[in-house]
């Protein structure tokens, strides 16, 4: 193939991929299965590898690219990135309406959800995404183009040939869904890292990362809402602009409506007050904007905000209480987390007596002191947190809690790693870390040793019966029977559970070690690529980090782990005990299965339902009982049921048992 021919083919595939992304991420109406999409994407990768000069920055393959940055460049906003005036009562909304109607008597309002995320600006030139920035102070922000490119709902190339959308700026809100937020925090907890307080902080923190590969894993999303300076006559109102933007490939906030009167606006705000909790993303209010652009021009802006728009903020679920102490808890990777102890207070359904303060920067930023009266809030109905200190209630008895310099448990010196806000105890023999590691090792998702929960871990470590994983397997009947509340039956059950855990596969053992950044998925990928621990322990950084789905953080963490002699000794002791350190199964995790959701319907020839389910999960996939747009494959046997029809109507990929066999064992 000549270069000119290749250019044509590459452009055609890119266009197709852009369209499929649009259907999937913006319209929620995919027509390709993930398998077919992956094939198409791979074709593009292959062509681009063959003709590297044809790679352009707007190619879908270039979303996660480039080396980590050292720092962000500054971007000046023109026009300024204004903010919105907030209102908290419907009376204030009526006052806003009166102000508007004095200048523009006959306006309609477009009312949109106020998405709780991070404001960004996106610039396009000749229909291509060229620069993206944070709001910063409204005058200058950070150039975070490489991070924004990882957001698949930001089109790198505009889909329509509309002249009005050729060179322009658009502003929107980057956010993390509640589900992604929960997943991210769970992973961070598993890895002993400090937690994000809410989805907005998590989105903001992610956009500030200097390595776009990590940003890509966060799966950020965006809604666009404003063209700050509509340059063309084509745009006459917001409602019409949004339609054009959606056609061009942007994701707009779907829940919006036009209203003639402020009473109707208020009714709409009221409708979303409770309903917003069911949305997949956080909404903290509604934005009320004059729809017509001529009217907007007439109304103009103040120094800080436009006169044609206002935000109505929903009241949060809050309570007032007093902080009685700030203590420090040490996780299994040594991260020290400050926790506020409070006078117990009832807040939407439960009594709250403590709340994580997340990290030390949070204490400093909010200036939280012992004896302070504070407002606490349940954000997104999840964990309670301290919103702010009521400084008016200070009496002079408040005490700043100094940063700990030593671990509260083992008293060794604490360290702060570059780029991290967390303080860390680096003494691997710290009892708090030992306990955390043992608890994780025995937990259900790891070695699954029933009866080896927090109480048992605390007792065994305090009595110095166990200090590492291998010690668990040397516990004797006589050791355990002496413990409080342990009878003959519970001791035997525990010993049996410990013994049974020896059959856990290598991937679970590797995950159970609790090495930083190694979740179960990474463990499976590592085991697939290095089927024995001897191979893994000798693998150089580059050969680990080059595995698809494994980043440099994992590779660094693994190589660090095996650099430590004590860890090697521990592995050797566990080998002697009989734990699995090689992948003997003929079905290692396969990337075509990794993270994919299967639904089974009809009868299969060679597998029972249970066997097929087990096989899929061993290969890294999930099995679900119902078909939705999120289903990747429906495996249909003979006489399939309604799931088959549903899959057809949703365009979900349907595979036969023969297709499935080929995926399991490709020729
Ligand atoms: S319109 C001049 N619409 O809220 C700014 N903003 O508190 C016009 N936001 O800076 C903004 N959802 O980042 C608009 N549907 C929405 C929004 C929205 C969230 C953010 C935006 C703004 C901030 C003001």
């Amino acid at each position: 193939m000549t270069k000119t021919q290749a250019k044509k083919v590459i452009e055609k595939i890119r266009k197709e991929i852009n369209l499929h992304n649009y259907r999937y991420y913006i319209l929620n109406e995919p027509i390709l299965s993930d398998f077919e999409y992956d094939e198409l994407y791979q074709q593009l990768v292959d062509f681009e590898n063959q003709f590297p000069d044809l790679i352009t920055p707007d190619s879908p393959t270039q979303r996660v690219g480039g080396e980590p940055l050292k720092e962000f460049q500054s971007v000046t906003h023109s026009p300024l990135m204004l903010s919105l005036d907030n209102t908290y009562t419907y009376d204030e909304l009526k006052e806003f309406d009166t102000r508007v109607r004095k200048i523009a008597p006959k306006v309609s309002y477009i009312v949109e959800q106020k998405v709780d995320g991070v404001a960004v600006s996106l610039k396009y030139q000749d229909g291509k995404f060229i620069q993206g920035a944070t709001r910063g102070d409204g005058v200058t922000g950070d150039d975070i183009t490489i991070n924004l490119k990882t957001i698949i709902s930001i089109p790198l190339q505009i889909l329509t040939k509309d002249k009005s959308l050729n060179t322009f700026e658009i502003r929107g809100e980057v956010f993390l869904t509640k589900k992604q937020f929960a997943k991210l925090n769970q992973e961070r907890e598993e890895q002993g890292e400090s937690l994000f307080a809410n989805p907005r902080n998590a989105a903001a923190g992610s956009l500030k990362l200097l390595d776009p590969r990590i940003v890509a894993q966060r799966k950020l999303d965006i809604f666009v809402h404003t063209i700050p300076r509509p340059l063309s006559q084509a745009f006459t109102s917001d409602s019409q602009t949004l339609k054009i933007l959606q056609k061009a490939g942007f994701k707009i906030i779907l829940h919006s409506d036009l209203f003639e009167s402020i009473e109707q606006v208020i009714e709409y705000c009221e409708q979303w007050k409770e309903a917003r909790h069911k949305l997949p993303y956080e909404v903290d209010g509604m934005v009320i904007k004059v729809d017509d652009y001529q009217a907007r021009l007439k109304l103009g802006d103040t120094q800080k905000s436009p006169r044609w728009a206002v935000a109505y903020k929903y009241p949060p679920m809050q309570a007032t209480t007093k902080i009685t102490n700030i203590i420090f808890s040490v996780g299994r990777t040594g991260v020290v987390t400050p926790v506020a102890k409070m006078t117990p207070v009832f807040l939407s359904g439960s009594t709250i007596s403590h709340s994580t303060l997340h990290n030390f920067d949070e204490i400093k930023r909010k200036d939280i002191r012992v004896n302070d009266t504070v407002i606490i809030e349940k954000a997104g109905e999840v964990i309670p947190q301290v919103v702010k200190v009521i400084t008016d209630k200070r009496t002079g008895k408040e005490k700043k809690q100094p940063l700990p310099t030593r671990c509260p448990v083992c008293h060794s010196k604490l360290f702060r790693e570059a780029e991290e806000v967390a303080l860390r105890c680096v003494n691997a023999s710290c009892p708090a870390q030992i306990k955390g590691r043992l608890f994780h090792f025995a937990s259900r998702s790891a070695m699954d040793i029933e009866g080896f929960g927090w109480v048992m871990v605390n007792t065994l470590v305090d009595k110095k019966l166990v200090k590492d994983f291998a010690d668990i397997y040397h516990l004797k009947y006589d050791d355990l029977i002496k413990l409080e509340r342990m009878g003959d039956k519970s001791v035997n059950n525990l010993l049996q559970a410990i013994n049974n855990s020896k059959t856990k596969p290598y991937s679970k053992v590797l995950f159970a070690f609790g090495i930083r950044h190694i979740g179960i998925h990474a463990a499976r990928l590592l085991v697939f690529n290095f089927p024995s621990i001897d191979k893994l322990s000798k693998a150089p950084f580059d050969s680990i980090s080059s595995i698809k789905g494994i980043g440099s953080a994992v590779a660094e963490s693994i190589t660090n782990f095996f650099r430590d002699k004590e860890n090697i000794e521990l592995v050797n002791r566990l080998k002697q005990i009989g734990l699995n350190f090689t992948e003997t199964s003929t079905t290692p995790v396969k990337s075509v299965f990794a993270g994919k959701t299967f639904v089974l319907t009809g009868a299969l020839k060679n597998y029972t339902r249970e066997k097929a389910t087990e096989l899929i999960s061993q290969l890294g996939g999930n099995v679900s009982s119902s078909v939705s747009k999120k289903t990747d494959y429906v495996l249909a046997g003979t006489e399939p049921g309604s799931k088959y029809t549903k899959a057809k109507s949703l365009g979900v990929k349907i595979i036969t048992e023969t297709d499935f066999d080929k995926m399991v064992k490709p020729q």
Side-chain angles (χ1 to χ4, degrees):
M1 185 181 288
T2 66
K3 203 159 158 183
T4 333
Q5 283 168 327
K7 189 163 183 249
K8 270 205 181 125
V9 180
I10 284 178
E11 271 165 13
K12 185 167 163 276
I13 306 178
R14 282 181 188 158
K15 223 180 215 156
E16 272 183 57
I17 291 179
N18 286 340
L19 267 176
H20 289 302
N21 278 344
Y22 178 62
R23 294 199 67 105
Y24 188 93
Y25 291 98
I26 312 289
L27 302 181
N28 227 343
E29 286 167 2
I31 45 168
L32 282 193
S33 69
D34 280 10
F35 190 63
E36 290 162 322
Y37 177 87
D38 289 348
E39 275 179 344
L40 191 65
Y41 188 89
Q42 193 55 44
Q43 269 184 26
L44 178 59
V45 172
D46 293 344
F47 275 117
E48 289 186 342
N49 279 342
Q50 219 178 323
F51 297 96
D53 332 344
L54 296 179
I55 300 177
T56 52
D58 64 323
S59 168
T61 59
Q62 303 304 301
R63 284 201 176 264
V64 188
E67 282 305 299
L69 297 178
K70 293 225 164 45
E71 59 175 11
F72 297 117
Q73 301 295 313
S74 291
V75 174
T76 309
H77 299 300
S78 166
L80 298 183
M81 261 183 106
L82 297 180
S83 189
L84 289 173
D85 263 350
N86 286 329
T87 59
Y88 300 90
T89 64
Y90 293 137
D91 279 348
E92 285 176 278
L93 272 189
K94 286 183 187 158
E95 286 164 19
F96 162 76
D97 180 54
T98 312
R99 284 197 302 274
V100 167
R101 290 196 194 274
K102 266 192 198 145
I103 296 167
K106 277 192 130 205
V107 290
S108 300
Y109 293 114
I110 182 159
V111 185
E112 236 175 26
Q113 289 168 345
K114 185 167 185 307
V115 178
D116 200 10
V118 183
V120 295
S121 134
L122 313 174
K123 282 191 185 134
Y124 284 78
Q125 198 170 46
D126 300 327
K128 289 183 177 35
F129 175 52
I130 52 151
Q131 190 184 59
T134 58
R135 177 173 181 276
D137 58 6
V139 184
T140 29
D142 285 336
D143 182 335
I144 50 161
T145 315
I146 64 166
N147 289 344
L148 290 171
K149 276 177 87 174
T150 69
I151 302 179
I152 311 207
S153 36
I154 294 183
L156 299 181
Q157 164 75 53
I158 299 301
L159 295 182
T160 44
K161 289 229 158 59
D162 202 325
K163 278 210 192 76
S164 50
L165 283 182
N166 189 316
T167 297
F168 64 102
E169 183 188 350
I170 191 163
R171 291 175 184 172
E173 204 75 4
V174 169
F175 66 97
L176 206 62
T177 59
K178 294 177 191 168
K179 207 167 146 190
Q180 282 300 332
F181 166 69
K183 202 170 146 230
L184 174 63
N185 257 357
Q186 194 191 338
E187 282 167 11
R188 290 176 74 84
E189 190 162 19
E190 274 177 13
Q191 286 153 19
E193 288 169 17
S194 56
L195 303 186
F196 286 115
N198 53 43
R200 180 178 16 89
N201 282 9
S206 304
L207 286 177
K208 279 194 207 131
L209 292 168
L210 294 166
D211 187 346
R213 285 168 297 190
I214 305 176
V215 183
Q217 291 165 8
R218 299 274 168 97
K219 299 213 164 31
L220 296 165
D221 207 338
I222 190 172
F223 283 122
V224 299
H225 49 63
T226 311
I227 293 196
R229 195 162 38 186
L231 293 170
S232 139
Q233 291 297 320
F235 304 107
T236 54
S237 69
D238 220 26
S239 43
Q240 173 246 14
T241 304
L242 291 174
K243 285 190 195 127
I244 301 178
L245 289 177
Q246 194 188 27
K247 280 210 186 97
F250 291 99
K251 189 162 175 165
I252 57 165
I253 301 172
L254 287 178
H255 301 291
S256 69
D257 224 330
L258 264 183
F259 299 99
E260 308 265 316
S261 77
I262 200 72
E263 284 73 24
Q264 289 168 316
V265 169
I266 292 171
E267 209 182 302
Y268 191 63
C269 293
E270 214 29 38
Q271 268 174 35
W272 277 109
K273 189 175 171 185
E274 292 303 320
R276 73 197 160 110
H277 296 304
K278 298 204 176 76
L279 292 163
Y281 46 88
E282 295 263 357
V283 165
D284 61 343
M286 300 298 270
V287 183
I288 296 98
K289 315 179 212 186
V290 167
D291 190 41
D292 182 70
Y293 287 169
Q294 284 302 324
R296 285 190 182 185
L297 266 180
K298 258 204 209 156
L299 283 153
D301 304 326
T302 69
Q303 292 256 305
K304 268 174 37 210
S305 48
R307 285 200 194 88
W308 45 263
V310 77
Y312 171 72
K313 301 262 272 190
Y314 290 117
M317 294 170 285
Q318 291 185 332
T320 305
T321 185
K322 200 168 171 180
I323 294 193
T324 51
N325 200 1
I326 294 175
I327 59 160
F328 303 103
S329 102
V330 185
R332 86 179 142 84
T333 55
V335 169
V336 180
T337 309
V339 178
K341 293 273 180 194
M342 302 174 301
T343 311
V345 58
F346 193 76
L347 177 59
S348 62
S350 58
T351 303
I352 295 166
S353 57
H354 59 92
S355 153
T356 170
L357 296 174
H358 305 287
N359 54 53
F360 296 102
D361 282 4
E362 180 104 342
I363 302 188
K364 205 160 118 194
R365 201 165 47 82
K366 293 182 179 162
D367 189 19
I368 299 169
R369 306 178 190 179
V370 176
N371 291 329
D372 259 339
T373 303
V374 292
I375 295 178
I376 60 163
E377 179 178 304
K378 269 194 182 170
E381 301 119 86
V382 270
I383 28 177
Q385 57 180 310
V386 176
V387 188
K388 67 168 191 184
V389 173
I390 310 179
T391 38
D392 285 353
K393 294 226 168 157
R394 283 198 170 146
T395 60
K397 284 195 184 135
E398 295 73 22
K399 278 187 305 231
K400 280 196 187 182
Q401 182 64 275
L403 278 194
T405 50
R406 298 202 163 261
C407 170
V409 181
C410 72
H411 310 294
S412 62
K413 210 169 160 220
L414 296 176
F415 289 91
R416 184 184 287 240
E417 279 174 27
E419 263 191 59
E420 270 203 8
V421 286
L423 276 176
R424 216 175 260 280
C425 163
V426 293
N427 167 21
S429 330
C430 168
Q433 288 187 50
I434 294 178
K435 286 177 183 174
R437 284 199 296 268
L438 289 168
F439 177 75
H440 170 75
F441 182 84
S443 66
R444 187 166 298 177
S445 55
M447 301 304 274
D448 194 16
I449 307 177
E450 210 177 319
F452 209 95
W454 269 119
V455 178
M456 184 56 64
V457 168
N458 270 319
T459 316
L460 293 174
V461 175
D462 291 345
K463 290 199 180 297
K464 302 211 165 31
L465 286 166
V466 171
K467 63 176 187 324
D468 63 29
F469 308 143
D471 294 342
I472 301 176
Y473 296 91
H474 295 301
L475 282 169
K476 301 269 169 336
Y477 182 93
D478 290 347
D479 299 326
L480 297 170
I481 195 74
K482 285 184 214 139
L483 304 180
E484 231 175 89
R485 272 182 256 135
M486 289 296 276
D488 180 66
K489 193 158 173 228
S490 42
V491 169
N492 282 324
N493 284 348
L494 181 57
L495 288 171
Q496 189 62 45
I498 293 173
N499 204 38
N500 288 349
S501 75
K502 290 183 191 165
T503 59
K504 288 280 164 200
Y506 167 35
S507 56
K508 289 261 176 173
V509 180
L510 188 60
F511 167 64
F513 278 7
I515 304 170
R516 244 181 118 193
H517 304 302
I518 318 294
I520 188 66
H521 182 60
R524 285 207 182 107
L525 283 173
L526 287 169
V527 163
F528 176 51
N529 286 278
F530 303 97
S532 79
I533 199 140
D534 298 333
K535 290 206 172 92
L536 180 63
S537 62
K538 289 188 192 98
F541 174 90
D542 288 345
S543 64
I544 303 177
S545 67
S546 61
I547 299 169
K548 196 177 166 214
I550 295 267
S552 52
V554 168
E556 195 176 320
S557 192
I558 281 284
T559 41
N560 280 344
F561 182 83
F562 288 111
R563 217 170 276 145
D564 190 333
K565 255 208 208 128
E566 280 186 29
N567 288 335
I568 303 273
E569 267 166 35
L570 178 66
V571 169
N572 287 336
R573 281 169 62 216
L574 289 168
K575 267 187 192 165
Q576 273 166 15
I577 290 164
L579 265 61
N580 287 317
F581 285 104
T582 48
E583 185 59 56
T584 44
S585 147
T586 48
T587 52
V589 68
K590 286 209 164 74
S591 50
V592 281
F593 282 85
K596 299 283 191 277
T597 303
F598 287 73
V599 172
L600 311 178
T601 178
L604 300 172
K605 258 198 328 247
N606 297 320
Y607 308 89
T608 59
R609 277 280 166 103
E610 290 70 34
K611 255 271 82 45
T613 306
E614 195 186 311
L615 185 57
I616 292 168
S617 87
Q618 272 174 3
L619 292 163
N622 313 302
V623 176
S624 162
S625 56
S626 60
V627 179
S628 74
K629 281 179 189 167
K630 300 243 162 70
T631 311
D632 296 295
Y633 300 105
V634 166
L635 169 53
T638 48
E639 293 185 35
S642 61
K643 291 176 193 166
Y644 181 89
T645 338
K646 183 148 184 218
K648 273 223 127 144
S649 73
L650 289 177
V652 171
K653 172 109 175 160
I654 299 172
I655 54 170
T656 62
E657 193 169 339
T658 326
D659 298 331
F660 181 67
D661 278 336
K662 276 190 202 145
M663 286 168 77
V664 175
K665 307 179 207 109
Q667 268 78 44

